[in-house]
């Protein structure tokens, strides 16, 4: 889905040219929440250096596309979007004179983009976010001594569904990026060092990828424009990944694992809360590794404890944990603080020990059932979200049956199923072709597993009826004007089911971005229906 955001003014307007003279930049962000944060940082840098962001591609002088290339379908969406935006440069009706492509697709296919889509004027890799200024044709703004400021809500255009806000920094973003990269280089994880020596991060076979791995980290002082709804925001607490998963090329795309300083994360959270954010979601390729490169033990639990007590914060959650790193201390921290959502996102990928070993993940269905039981014992009422890959090379009918048996036994609350994507550069790509599962078989297994989970989810959601919940109202339902929708603390943004609202209770109208008390009155396969209480 293509998403556009805009900001119309700056809290420090004296340093900017009049709006009519400023370069108008249209921004398209694709992919995961980690990519979204990168987009918000680049938008912040552009705005801080005099650009005017526009939601109208026809009005944009510069169009930036932040791409994803995790799997084939994501790559295709990225290419299609680039070609669509090129039309605004070629057609007489559009103003666009410059196309910039950023993100993971650039890390993987830098030369091919330049060769096959010559209309692209500049590319920006995942570790080159501060290069967005030169890519867009903007000169960096001089450093200032003033404390960073928040763009007031009144400056946001009311017709934009996702009202943005901006954070300005003490110093120039290029200086901040270089400083943080230097700091990150001081620390490393033994696990990551060993895997680097074994060639885990090699990009020698990739035409166009720069020799150096990405090392960029943003900070609380980096300009950033929020593109999420007013009450919610993501904070990226770490970048990169050291794990050896054979199906994944993210380590080559994003570099070695590196954590942000805890003080910087806490400062950013405080700034977001001051803007009106009440729901913060921590993200990283593996949040459970947080702090290991900084010498911390159970760093994620320590970080959660520091954030959970911040005044004004309502909901705090974290996404993407690694199964064997979910410690008792982490679970006990979740149970201790009311502000921490009782929500555990732990991608298991499979349940067959044979498949997991070939994936270089380790574990088994029995081990994962013990983890889920431990989480439910320590954190009463916790919901579990996971994802699986079907059709991994060598997956037999017996392996798939073991996965189905696990899903029945685990009774997982939220579950996603991905079909295996054979990615050049991943170790699984090099496996014996005889092990590759036919596409028709892969699709059949996906449908069967999702049908099985549908039955699990239908029963689980029926048990929600009669519950009272805290509800964050998002607005009119995406499906019909007759309903509104929202989320409970047990729903992560955009990836889980919805709470549909058919009764406003004592209210004539509801305010998006506001918390209400509600009662669940009905349920469906994945969604529930609620009425607002007094």
């Amino acid at each position: 889905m293509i998403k556009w955001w805009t900001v119309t003014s700056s809290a420090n307007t004296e340093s900017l040219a009049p709006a009519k003279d400023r370069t108008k930049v249209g921004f398209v962000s694709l992919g995961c929440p980690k990519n979204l944060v990168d987009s918000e940082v680049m938008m912040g840098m552009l705005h801080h250096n005099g650009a005017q962001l526009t939601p109208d591609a026809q009005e944009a002088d510069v169009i930036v596309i932040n791409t994803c290339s995790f799997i084939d379908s994501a790559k295709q969406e990225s290419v299609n979007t680039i070609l669509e935006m090129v039309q605004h440069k070629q057609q007489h009706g559009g103003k666009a004179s410059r196309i910039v492509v950023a993100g993971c697709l650039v890390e993987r296919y830098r030369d091919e983009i330049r060769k096959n889509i010559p209309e692209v004027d500049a590319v920006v890799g995942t570790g080159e976010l501060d290069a967005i200024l030169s890519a867009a044709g903007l000169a960096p703004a001089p450093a200032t001594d003033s404390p960073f400021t928040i763009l007031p809500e009144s400056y946001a255009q009311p017709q934009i569904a996702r009202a943005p806000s901006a954070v300005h920094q003490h110093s120039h973003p290029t200086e901040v990026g270089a400083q943080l990269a230097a700091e990150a280089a001081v620390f490393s994880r033994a696990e990551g060092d060993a895997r680097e020596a074994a060639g885990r991060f090699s990009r020698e076979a990739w035409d166009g990828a720069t020799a150096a791995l990405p090392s960029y980290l943003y900070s609380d002082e980096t300009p950033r424009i929020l593109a999420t709804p007013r009450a919610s925001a993501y904070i990226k607490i770490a970048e990169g990944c050291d794990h050896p998963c054979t199906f994944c090329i993210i380590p080559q795309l994003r570099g070695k694992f590196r954590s942000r300083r805890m003080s910087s994360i806490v400062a950013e959270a405080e700034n977001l809360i001051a803007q009106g954010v009440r729901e913060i979601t921590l993200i990283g390729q593996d949040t459970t590794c947080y702090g290991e490169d900084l010498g911390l033990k159970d760093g994620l639990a320590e970080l959660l404890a520091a954030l959970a007590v911040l005044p004004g914060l309502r909901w705090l959650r974290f996404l993407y944990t690694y199964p064997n790193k979910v410690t008792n201390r982490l679970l006990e921290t979740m149970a201790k603080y009311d502000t921490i959502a009782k929500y555990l996102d732990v991608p298991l990928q499979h349940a067959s020990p044979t498949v997991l070993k070939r994936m270089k993940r380790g574990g088994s269905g029995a081990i994962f059932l013990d983890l889920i039981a431990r989480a439910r014992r320590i954190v009463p009422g916790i919901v579990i979200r996971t994802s699986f890959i079907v059709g991994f090379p060598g997956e037999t009918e017996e392996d798939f049956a073991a996965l189905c048996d696990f899903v029945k036994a685990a009774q997982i609350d939220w579950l996603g199923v991905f079909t295996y994507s054979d990615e050049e550069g991943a170790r699984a790509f090099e496996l014996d072709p005889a092990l590759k599962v036919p596409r028709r078989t892969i699709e059949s297994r996906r449908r069967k597993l999702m049908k099985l989970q549908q039955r699990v989810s239908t029963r689980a959601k029926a048990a929600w009826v009669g519950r009272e919940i805290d509800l964050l109202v998002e607005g009119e339902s995406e499906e019909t004007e007759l309903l509104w929708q929202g989320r409970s603390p047990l729903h992560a943004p955009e990836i889980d089911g919805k709470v549909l609202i058919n009764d406003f209770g004592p209210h004539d109208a509801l305010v998006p971005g506001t918390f209400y008390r509600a009662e669940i009155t009905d349920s469906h396969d994945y969604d529930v229906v609620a009425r607002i209480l007094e």
Side-chain angles (χ1 to χ4, degrees):
M1 181 171 61
I2 298 175
K3 302 175 183 179
W4 291 85
W5 299 281
T6 186
V7 69
T8 59
S9 185
S10 168
N12 183 18
T13 54
E14 291 140 354
S15 64
L16 299 180
K20 64 182 178 63
D21 298 327
R22 280 184 255 151
T23 300
K24 292 185 178 181
V25 181
F27 215 101
V28 186
S29 187
L30 304 171
C32 66
K34 298 184 294 294
N35 228 32
L36 174 60
V37 172
D38 289 348
S39 297
E40 292 176 336
V41 167
M42 286 189 283
M43 287 193 290
M45 290 180 180
L46 289 165
H47 179 260
H48 181 62
N49 285 275
Q52 180 182 1
L53 299 176
T54 175
D56 188 351
Q58 291 288 342
E59 292 297 317
D61 302 303
V62 179
I63 295 177
V64 182
I65 306 104
N66 193 17
T67 60
C68 177
S69 65
F70 179 47
I71 56 177
D72 278 340
S73 59
K75 286 187 287 189
Q76 190 60 55
E77 181 187 30
S78 293
V79 171
N80 291 345
T81 302
I82 295 169
L83 295 176
E84 180 182 346
M85 294 303 108
V86 162
Q87 296 300 311
H88 292 285
K89 181 179 180 181
Q90 294 178 325
Q91 292 175 353
H92 180 71
K95 289 179 57 181
S97 60
R98 195 167 185 82
I99 300 291
V100 178
V101 178
C104 292
L105 197 72
V106 172
E107 289 294 333
R108 182 65 182 85
Y109 299 106
R110 187 181 299 254
D111 286 356
E112 290 188 37
I113 293 170
R114 288 168 164 162
K115 176 183 178 181
N116 296 321
I117 315 179
E119 296 84 0
V120 171
D121 298 282
V123 293
V124 177
T126 61
E128 306 166 325
L129 299 192
D130 46 2
I132 190 62
L133 301 178
S134 58
L138 297 176
T144 66
D145 296 326
S146 61
F148 63 79
T149 53
I150 309 292
L151 185 70
E153 178 80 14
S154 59
Y155 284 105
Q157 287 189 0
Q159 73 270 24
I160 303 304
R162 295 188 166 187
S165 52
V167 177
H168 299 283
Q169 63 175 21
H170 298 289
S171 55
H172 187 265
T174 304
E175 297 170 359
V176 173
Q179 174 190 350
L180 292 172
E183 288 182 357
V186 174
F187 300 99
S188 63
R189 301 169 65 241
E191 181 180 357
D193 293 341
R195 292 201 172 117
E196 182 176 29
R200 174 63 175 119
F201 303 96
S202 174
R203 307 199 288 186
E204 291 181 1
W206 288 11
D207 292 335
T210 56
L213 285 169
S215 60
Y216 182 86
L217 273 174
Y218 83 101
S219 82
D220 59 292
E221 295 187 322
T222 308
R224 180 181 172 192
I225 290 177
L226 296 185
T228 44
R230 178 176 178 270
S232 302
Y234 294 102
I235 294 180
K236 190 189 293 189
I237 65 173
E239 183 59 278
C241 181
D242 295 341
H243 292 306
C245 309
T246 57
F247 53 80
C248 185
I249 61 171
I250 285 176
Q252 294 104 305
L253 295 173
R254 293 281 178 172
K256 295 176 68 176
F257 183 87
R258 52 204 185 274
S259 303
R260 287 178 57 192
R261 304 285 178 166
M262 189 177 298
S263 59
S264 175
I265 297 170
V266 173
E268 182 178 13
E270 291 173 332
N271 299 335
L272 291 170
I273 293 168
Q275 296 179 52
V277 170
R278 295 294 175 262
E279 176 191 37
I280 290 176
T281 302
L282 307 180
I283 54 174
Q285 195 58 39
D286 173 7
T287 53
T288 44
C289 281
Y290 173 77
E292 290 183 8
D293 53 329
L294 304 178
L296 299 177
K297 181 177 175 58
D298 268 318
L300 180 57
E302 187 175 334
L303 175 62
L304 289 170
L307 295 172
V309 296
L310 294 180
L313 180 65
R314 290 286 296 266
W315 296 349
L316 175 66
R317 72 170 60 78
F318 54 97
L319 300 182
Y320 320 125
T321 65
Y322 204 75
N324 65 1
K325 291 183 176 291
V326 178
T327 64
N328 282 355
R329 182 181 174 191
L330 175 59
L331 295 171
E332 288 162 359
T333 303
M334 293 177 66
K336 180 177 179 180
Y337 296 97
D338 291 339
T339 47
I340 300 178
K342 313 314 175 196
Y343 182 104
L344 184 64
D345 183 308
V346 53
L348 299 175
Q349 309 302 2
H350 215 279
S352 163
T354 303
V355 175
L356 287 165
K357 183 178 181 180
R358 198 174 290 119
M359 288 179 169
K360 288 196 178 295
R361 294 280 295 186
S364 66
I367 292 173
F368 295 158
L369 286 174
D370 287 344
L371 166 62
I372 292 170
R374 178 161 53 93
R376 287 171 173 163
R377 183 179 68 253
I378 296 175
V379 189
I382 194 172
V383 302
I384 309 290
R385 176 175 180 82
T386 194
S387 57
F388 295 116
I389 297 173
V390 294
F392 187 80
E395 182 190 61
T396 63
E397 288 294 342
E398 291 75 16
D399 293 326
F400 180 67
L403 178 57
C404 291
D405 289 341
F406 175 83
V407 170
K408 294 174 187 175
Q411 296 291 297
I412 293 166
D413 301 275
W414 305 116
L415 187 151
V417 180
F418 293 91
T419 56
Y420 172 73
S421 180
D422 211 18
E423 296 301 317
E424 188 174 0
R427 293 292 174 87
F429 185 82
E430 302 169 4
L431 292 173
D432 185 345
L435 293 173
K436 303 296 173 70
V437 181
R439 179 55 52 184
R440 175 181 290 186
T441 302
I442 294 175
E443 290 293 341
S444 174
R445 289 175 181 175
R446 184 194 68 82
R447 289 193 298 271
K448 182 175 180 179
L449 195 60
M450 286 306 302
K451 189 172 183 179
L452 175 60
Q453 175 60 22
Q454 183 180 26
R455 293 195 292 269
V456 172
S457 180
T458 300
R459 289 193 299 269
K461 297 303 170 288
W464 284 43
V465 175
R467 286 190 193 178
E468 288 190 13
I469 60 170
D470 289 326
L471 181 65
L472 174 58
V473 169
E474 296 177 309
E476 191 175 279
S477 169
E478 300 168 352
E479 300 173 2
T480 173
E481 297 177 358
L482 301 177
L483 299 171
W484 273 46
Q485 69 182 45
R487 290 185 293 106
S488 78
L490 307 181
H491 295 74
E494 297 188 337
I495 58 175
D496 295 325
K498 304 178 184 66
V499 179
L500 302 174
I501 306 165
N502 65 355
D503 186 343
F504 287 10
H507 305 279
D508 293 329
L510 301 180
V511 180
T514 302
F515 294 84
Y516 296 87
R517 194 68 178 166
E519 179 186 8
I520 305 300
T521 59
D522 198 3
S523 68
H524 301 289
D525 292 338
Y526 300 105
D527 302 330
V528 293
V529 180
R531 65 182 181 92
I532 303 299
L533 300 175
E534 291 284 350

